[in-house]
Amino acid sequence: IGAVLDITERKQAEDALRFSEQRFNQAFNASPNAQVISRQEDGLIQIINDAFAQLFDYTREEVRGKTSLELNLFAKPADRQEAIERLRKDKSVRDCEVDIRTKSGEIRRASLSAEMMSVGHEDYLLTVIQDITERKLAEDRLKATLTALQESEERFATMFHESPVALALVSASDYRALDVNRVFEQLYGYTREEVIGKTSLEVGLLTDPAKREEIVDRIGRGESLTELELRIRRKDGVERIVSITYRSIDIRGSRCFMSTSQDITERKLWEEQLRATNDALRVSEQEFRAFFELANAGKVEYDPHKKRFLRVNQKFCEICGYSKEELLQMSISDLTHPDDRQTDTIIYEAAFGENADSYEREKRYVRKDGAVVWVQVSGSIVYAESGYPLRTYAVVQDITERKRLEGELADYAHKLEESNQELQNFAFIASHDLQEPLRKIKRFGEMLYQKTTGKLDDSEREYLERMMSSVERMQAMIEGLLELSRISTHGKPFSDVNLKAITDEVVSDLEVMIRRTGGVVTVKDLPTIQADPLQMRQLIQNLIGNALKFHRPGVPPTVKVSSMNKSPVVVKITVEDNGIGFDENQIGRIFQPFQRLVTRSQYEGTGMGLATCKKIVERHGGEITAQSTPGQGSRFIVTLPRQIGR
């Protein structure tokens, strides 16, 4: 008896969630910027990426479970407070410049961005920290350079062109480029000569020309443009995203603008991936929640360390008899039958110790009303990167009725086994006790036959001969019955049996019968299996003997013995002949004791041969069947396991 549960929707939801988590983990770990995820509730750091560990020189173990305050990551407490206030107000922080302190005490300048996010029932804060120390140093150097330009144009030109940041000097009167540096050429793909004297519109730097007009208008109103994100098109046609800052400077009394360009394409792609991942996580969470609640089996989410249910569906409540509110204050142990709790502990500890992905268990719950129910629990375990088990998710199926039926079936099987044993004992005893009176009848009949030789007329002698023939048939039937009962009780231990060698020996033993019928027996390659050697000999001898015996009058029998398949688990042996055949509608009778499809006057026998074959095959855990057409022969197919227990 089995139970089939359709878990397609659950697996699809789990696969979607796993895929989203993988995408998030890949984006998180591959980011070139330092990233950290902390809990909003207490600010405890949960995970960091490699860039964070490299920037602050901390290991994951050193920061996990601590706050930024404990680690003294902010060099200026005011920076931290400002970021917290902006986060509370806007729910996110973008490009907030702060001073950070590494493990060694080194102070560096960084751009901090943070965003709130939810995963399951927990609220987290994702913080991205970009080390801008070098950029700020470059900007500081640029400022110093701009100041020095007033004293020395030569010094200005040198610093301008050697700056590690893409720079452009633009006239405030007509917005034409006065000069660009080497890094600008590399970023935009144009040479100085191709840019100087032209506007960005004439060169075609912006993918959206309307953006230029917007920039000119804002500059004209005196706005300060800092880290303006624009999409540009390089000379080779490749589009990039840059962050541009415009500053107004005076050169020889002429007002100009200095633009600083930074390629942020990779950062924007990562941010887009992160947003997509967050969206996918939200969708997956909604799908999972819907699947969780609508399932027709009990579903639970459990915290193995707090030992509390985090989420249960209505079906689980029905199984246990408790409300959701009551269950969320309980542990698995509270529901488990006292006799099953120790085994539960062993199974869960073994699963956690081996980092097993899943577990299965049949156990008993005690309902709120005191009733005991049997349940089947199929669970999966989610681990943290460190191997720490975070959650278990389980499907709980009420199998009380199944267990009741299994008990009844076991009782029935036990009674059936006892009945079969009694029947075998009875057959053996009855057959054995019948032998003695038959031997006396036969012996006295033989004595009577000898003493009345020449004294009885033909009809009287025929009666006596028919009596003797009946006694012999009865003895043969009793022997067949005894043989059938001994198959299960007197079988030999299984060992490796070469079926080809045994079949060749059987053919040799049947040589007289083969010559008498003019038959031909062909034996092809047969495998070696684990079996009872004597019973295999008896099985093959009965099948070949029947094939030879039941041949068509005037047609020499042809018998072929072969193996049909190459399965590593089972073998199929076929015994095929060209004999009289039979109607396949009678296949249910031919394997029963004492059943004959032809008269005794046509073919001798007791009708026990195929019944014995069936008993032998069943003892070996196999099957026997037949295919036949009257007048065209038969094919007997025996399927046996290659090894014991398979």
Side-chain angles (χ1 to χ4, degrees):
I1 299 175
V4 179
L5 177 63
D6 186 353
I7 63 172
T8 303
E9 295 180 356
R10 188 194 81 190
K11 297 302 291 181
Q12 289 175 345
E14 290 176 348
D15 288 344
L17 182 59
R18 190 178 300 109
F19 178 72
S20 297
E21 291 173 345
Q22 290 174 350
R23 288 181 58 193
F24 175 82
N25 288 335
Q26 290 173 352
F28 182 86
N29 290 318
S31 173
N33 294 323
Q35 295 185 49
V36 56
I37 295 179
S38 57
R39 283 205 307 238
Q40 291 186 33
E41 177 184 0
D42 50 20
L44 295 181
I45 295 175
Q46 303 297 303
I47 58 174
I48 63 173
N49 67 353
D50 293 340
F52 183 100
Q54 183 177 359
L55 175 60
F56 288 91
D57 199 26
Y58 281 105
T59 65
R60 287 179 168 82
E61 290 71 22
E62 289 175 321
V63 302
R64 185 178 293 116
K66 297 182 180 179
T67 66
S68 62
L69 194 59
E70 292 173 335
L71 295 171
N72 202 20
L73 299 184
F74 287 87
K76 298 177 181 178
D79 287 347
R80 179 177 179 274
Q81 188 61 35
E82 180 185 353
I84 292 175
E85 291 176 356
R86 288 176 60 180
L87 188 62
R88 288 172 178 170
K89 178 183 178 182
D90 302 325
K91 305 301 182 182
S92 65
V93 175
R94 287 287 183 273
D95 301 320
C96 178
E97 293 190 5
V98 298
D99 288 336
I100 60 173
R101 179 183 288 105
T102 67
K103 181 179 179 181
S104 64
E106 179 186 6
I107 305 300
R108 299 188 68 82
R109 192 66 174 169
S111 174
L112 183 145
S113 298
E115 184 171 348
M116 295 180 178
M117 58 185 291
S118 296
V119 179
H121 301 286
E122 297 283 349
D123 292 329
Y124 295 94
L125 181 66
L126 172 62
T127 305
V128 180
I129 303 170
Q130 181 184 8
D131 185 358
I132 61 172
T133 305
E134 300 303 325
R135 193 189 81 190
K136 296 304 292 185
L137 290 175
E139 291 178 353
D140 291 342
R141 287 195 297 267
L142 178 59
K143 291 178 182 178
T145 300
L146 293 176
T147 301
L149 278 173
Q150 296 178 357
E151 303 174 354
S152 173
E153 291 184 1
E154 183 177 351
R155 287 184 58 195
F156 171 80
T158 301
M159 295 297 293
F160 179 87
H161 290 290
E162 292 183 359
S163 172
V165 180
L167 300 176
L169 190 61
V170 180
S171 170
S173 60
D174 57 9
Y175 300 101
R176 295 184 181 276
L178 301 175
D179 202 357
V180 296
N181 70 351
R182 176 179 50 83
V183 180
F184 183 98
E185 292 178 307
Q186 294 172 350
L187 175 59
Y188 289 89
Y190 290 92
T191 65
R192 291 177 68 245
E193 292 72 21
E194 291 174 320
V195 175
I196 292 176
K198 297 178 182 177
T199 66
S200 59
L201 184 63
E202 293 171 341
V203 178
L205 298 182
L206 301 180
T207 58
D208 182 3
K211 283 290 184 182
R212 177 184 180 277
E213 300 305 321
E214 177 185 342
I215 294 171
V216 170
D217 181 63
R218 293 177 62 182
I219 291 176
R221 295 198 304 268
E223 291 187 30
S224 176
L225 302 183
T226 303
E227 296 185 352
L228 184 66
E229 295 183 2
L230 297 172
R231 185 177 293 275
I232 63 146
R233 183 181 293 107
R234 286 169 44 88
K235 183 179 180 180
D236 56 14
V238 175
E239 294 186 2
R240 307 290 291 178
I241 302 174
V242 297
S243 174
I244 300 180
T245 297
Y246 290 91
R247 289 184 174 85
S248 176
I249 63 173
D250 287 331
I251 298 180
R252 293 184 178 180
S254 298
R255 185 165 172 261
C256 301
F257 294 105
M258 179 71 72
S259 71
T260 304
S261 301
Q262 181 183 7
D263 190 342
I264 60 171
T265 307
E266 282 69 26
R267 190 190 81 187
K268 298 302 292 184
L269 289 175
W270 177 83
E271 290 175 352
E272 183 63 31
Q273 291 173 356
L274 182 59
R275 280 193 293 271
T277 300
N278 286 334
D279 291 343
L281 281 172
R282 282 190 289 271
V283 172
S284 296
E285 176 69 18
Q286 293 170 0
E287 292 175 347
F288 178 75
R289 187 179 297 109
F291 165 77
F292 190 92
E293 292 297 335
L294 296 177
N296 59 357
K299 297 292 183 66
V300 301
E301 180 182 355
Y302 191 77
D303 187 325
H305 291 277
K306 293 183 179 178
K307 299 187 184 304
R308 283 290 180 269
F309 291 103
L310 300 178
R311 181 161 47 181
V312 298
N313 69 350
Q314 184 58 37
K315 185 64 178 180
F316 187 74
C317 295
E318 294 172 3
I319 292 174
C320 302
Y322 290 93
S323 68
K324 288 186 179 182
E325 292 73 18
E326 291 172 322
L327 286 169
L328 295 182
Q329 302 301 317
M330 300 172 67
S331 68
I332 291 176
S333 180
D334 295 333
L335 292 177
T336 303
H337 191 282
D339 295 343
D340 293 344
R341 289 173 184 167
Q342 185 175 1
T343 306
D344 249 16
T345 301
I346 294 173
I347 289 176
Y348 292 138
E349 289 181 352
F352 294 153
E354 298 171 0
N355 280 347
D357 294 329
S358 61
Y359 61 90
E360 286 199 10
R361 167 98 162 99
E362 289 186 1
K363 57 187 286 189
R364 290 166 291 179
Y365 280 165
V366 179
R367 287 171 47 88
K368 184 177 182 180
D369 58 13
V372 176
V373 294
W374 275 95
V375 294
Q376 182 178 33
V377 182
S378 301
S380 60
I381 308 171
V382 178
Y383 296 91
E385 184 179 354
S386 61
Y388 180 88
L390 296 175
R391 296 285 186 273
T392 61
Y393 297 88
V395 177
V396 181
Q397 192 77 33
D398 187 341
I399 59 170
T400 306
E401 180 65 14
R402 193 193 84 187
K403 297 296 285 188
R404 183 186 68 79
L405 294 175
E406 287 177 353
E408 293 179 357
L409 183 61
D411 291 341
Y412 176 78
H414 179 68
K415 292 177 182 179
L416 183 62
E417 183 178 355
E418 290 180 343
S419 176
N420 287 339
Q421 186 62 44
E422 292 173 358
L423 185 61
Q424 289 179 357
N425 293 339
F426 171 77
F428 179 79
I429 293 170
S431 300
H432 185 272
D433 292 346
L434 286 174
Q435 291 277 34
E436 184 58 27
L438 280 177
R439 281 194 291 270
K440 288 183 178 180
I441 294 173
K442 182 178 181 181
R443 184 166 63 251
F444 288 133
E446 290 173 346
M447 293 171 61
L448 181 61
Y449 187 84
Q450 292 174 357
K451 290 184 177 182
T452 58
T453 300
K455 299 178 181 181
L456 300 177
D457 59 27
D458 291 342
S459 61
E460 291 172 337
R461 181 167 294 279
E462 181 184 355
Y463 294 151
L464 184 58
E465 289 174 348
R466 290 174 63 182
M467 181 189 74
M468 296 294 292
S469 177
S470 296
V471 169
E472 290 177 354
R473 287 198 304 273
M474 179 61 74
Q475 281 186 319
M477 293 174 67
I478 293 173
E479 287 294 336
L481 188 59
L482 279 171
E483 186 177 276
L484 191 66
S485 68
R486 291 192 189 105
I487 289 174
S488 297
T489 59
H490 291 72
K492 301 297 181 183
F494 288 7
S495 61
D496 289 342
V497 176
N498 187 326
L499 295 180
K500 177 67 165 61
I502 282 185
T503 305
D504 289 341
E505 292 174 2
V506 168
V507 173
S508 178
D509 292 342
L510 295 174
E511 183 178 355
V512 174
M513 188 177 186
I514 294 172
R515 288 181 179 178
R516 178 169 52 82
T517 59
V520 176
V521 179
T522 302
V523 181
K524 296 186 177 180
D525 288 339
L526 299 176
T528 296
I529 65 172
Q530 287 187 334
D532 183 329
L534 294 180
Q535 290 185 357
M536 285 297 102
R537 174 186 287 272
Q538 186 176 9
L539 169 67
I540 294 172
Q541 182 165 315
N542 285 2
L543 293 175
I544 296 178
N546 272 7
L548 292 171
K549 179 170 63 176
F550 294 103
H551 66 275
R552 287 177 286 168
V555 179
T558 299
V559 184
K560 298 178 181 178
V561 184
S562 61
S563 176
M564 291 180 61
N565 74 326
K566 303 296 183 181
S567 168
V569 179
V570 298
V571 298
K572 286 190 177 182
I573 309 300
T574 64
V575 179
E576 188 174 0
D577 63 59
N578 64 340
I580 62 174
F582 62 88
D583 188 343
E584 287 191 359
N585 291 330
Q586 302 295 323
I587 196 169
R589 291 180 54 198
I590 63 174
F591 294 107
Q592 299 299 318
F594 306 119
Q595 294 295 319
R596 297 171 54 88
L597 302 185
V598 294
T599 62
R600 189 173 290 105
S601 61
Q602 293 175 296
Y603 296 93
E604 62 180 14
T606 61
M608 294 293 292
L610 290 179
T612 300
C613 290
K614 185 173 186 292
K615 192 77 171 178
I616 290 173
V617 171
E618 288 178 345
R619 187 203 169 207
H620 286 74
E623 297 179 347
I624 182 171
T625 186
Q627 301 169 349
S628 184
T629 302
Q632 297 184 21
S634 303
R635 173 189 292 172
F636 285 83
I637 304 170
V638 178
T639 304
L640 296 169
R642 289 183 181 269
Q643 296 180 2
I644 298 173
R646 295 188 68 178

